[in-house]
Amino acid sequence: GQQVMQIPQYQHVQEGEDFTTYCNSSTTLSNIQWYKQRPGGHPVFLIQLVKSGEVKKQKRLTFQFGEAKKNSSLHITATQTTDVGTYFCAGNSGGYQKVTFGTGTKLQVIP
Amino acid sequence: DAGVIQSPRHEVTEMGQEVTLRCKPISGHNSLFWYRQTMMRGLELLIYFNNNVPIDDSGMPEDRFSAKMPNASFSTLKIQPSEPRDSAVYFCASAGGVETQYFGPGTRLLVL
């Protein structure tokens, strides 16, 4: 079945440093979504990428979808303590609305 | 909009007991998902429904787990009998015409 891996599994950064998490799928995706889960909370949708090579920005967050539509990345510029949480990518290979969630990257920001 | 509603928020039970988790999706959404989250296994899809019909239940661990969606506004996930290894956070999520999923707050289950 489809597998979606993320690296790194954990990341500790000093506040103000940049952060990047990478997502790789074993199969070509029709689209990819990113979610954020705060400690003790539930996953919250951030964004969806559909086109090959697509780049989207949300304030300090930059999302990229690979040319082959098998990988994606999330980059946070100048991290803040409010960025703490686990970031998941979720890939859709087509058909209904089922997505496969990645393994997640847990971000800790040190003030 | 109240979002996805789950109950109970916390459940502590003893091994062998039946556990029923409940979910009310966002009104108008046609897909509903049940996930289980643990430290060891991450976020796992257990089952999802489209228009109240189970589409994929390949993630359901074993026969002790069952899920129903009798109507568009209600779903249950039942574990009978429960075991300590079932301890996890169970999330329900719903989706409308696009793939974006909206998660409920989760049910934290502890089986002693």
Side-chain angles (χ1 to χ4, degrees):
Chain A
Q2 179 187 21
Q3 291 186 326
V4 181
M5 303 297 293
Q6 284 181 252
I7 55 170
Q9 189 175 2
Y10 301 97
Q11 183 85 59
H12 289 194
V13 298
Q14 203 75 35
E15 187 173 19
E17 292 181 338
D18 292 356
F19 159 76
T20 304
T21 173
Y22 299 91
C23 175
N24 293 285
S25 169
S26 59
T27 60
T28 302
L29 302 170
S30 58
N31 62 66
I32 194 157
Q33 302 166 21
W34 285 90
Y35 292 77
K36 176 184 178 181
Q37 184 177 20
R38 294 182 186 276
H42 58 276
V44 175
F45 173 80
L46 294 177
I47 207 162
Q48 176 171 283
L49 304 171
V50 179
K51 299 176 183 176
S52 170
E54 188 171 12
V55 178
K56 286 188 176 180
K57 293 190 176 184
Q58 285 182 349
K59 298 182 180 179
R60 295 178 294 104
L61 279 60
T62 301
F63 304 84
Q64 290 188 319
F65 200 9
E67 293 290 341
K69 301 184 76 172
K70 294 184 71 174
N71 56 73
S72 181
S73 65
L74 159 58
H75 179 82
I76 303 178
T77 303
T79 54
Q80 300 175 359
T81 54
T82 53
D83 296 325
V84 165
T86 301
Y87 292 84
F88 292 96
C89 63
N92 182 292
S93 296
Y96 296 98
Q97 292 134 321
K98 178 183 175 181
V99 296
T100 299
F101 276 81
T103 47
T105 295
K106 188 173 183 178
L107 172 63
Q108 185 61 254
V109 179
I110 304 165
Chain B
D1 190 347
V4 176
I5 299 172
Q6 290 187 247
S7 65
R9 295 292 304 275
H10 303 270
E11 178 81 21
V12 180
T13 190
E14 292 187 343
M15 182 174 62
Q17 296 297 307
E18 177 179 296
V19 175
T20 299
L21 311 180
R22 297 173 176 80
C23 175
K24 178 178 170 55
I26 293 172
S27 177
H29 281 188
N30 63 341
S31 288
L32 183 140
F33 307 79
W34 282 102
Y35 291 90
R36 177 173 67 177
Q37 187 174 41
T38 61
M39 288 292 292
M40 290 296 294
R41 301 175 68 90
L43 195 59
E44 303 174 276
L45 176 65
L46 300 177
I47 186 171
Y48 83 97
F49 296 84
N50 185 260
N51 293 323
N52 312 337
V53 176
I55 301 301
D56 185 347
D57 65 353
S58 58
M60 294 287 264
E62 48 199 270
D63 292 345
R64 297 185 298 106
F65 285 69
S66 63
K68 294 182 180 180
M69 191 164 185
N71 57 63
S73 59
F74 184 65
S75 177
T76 59
L77 178 67
K78 187 174 293 186
I79 309 173
Q80 167 63 17
S82 58
E83 296 182 3
R85 60 189 168 127
D86 301 330
S87 298
V89 180
Y90 291 82
F91 288 107
C92 174
S94 70
V98 293
E99 292 86 356
T100 305
Q101 296 185 23
Y102 295 85
F103 282 74
T107 295
R108 283 157 177 74
L109 174 65
L110 177 61
V111 182
L112 302 173

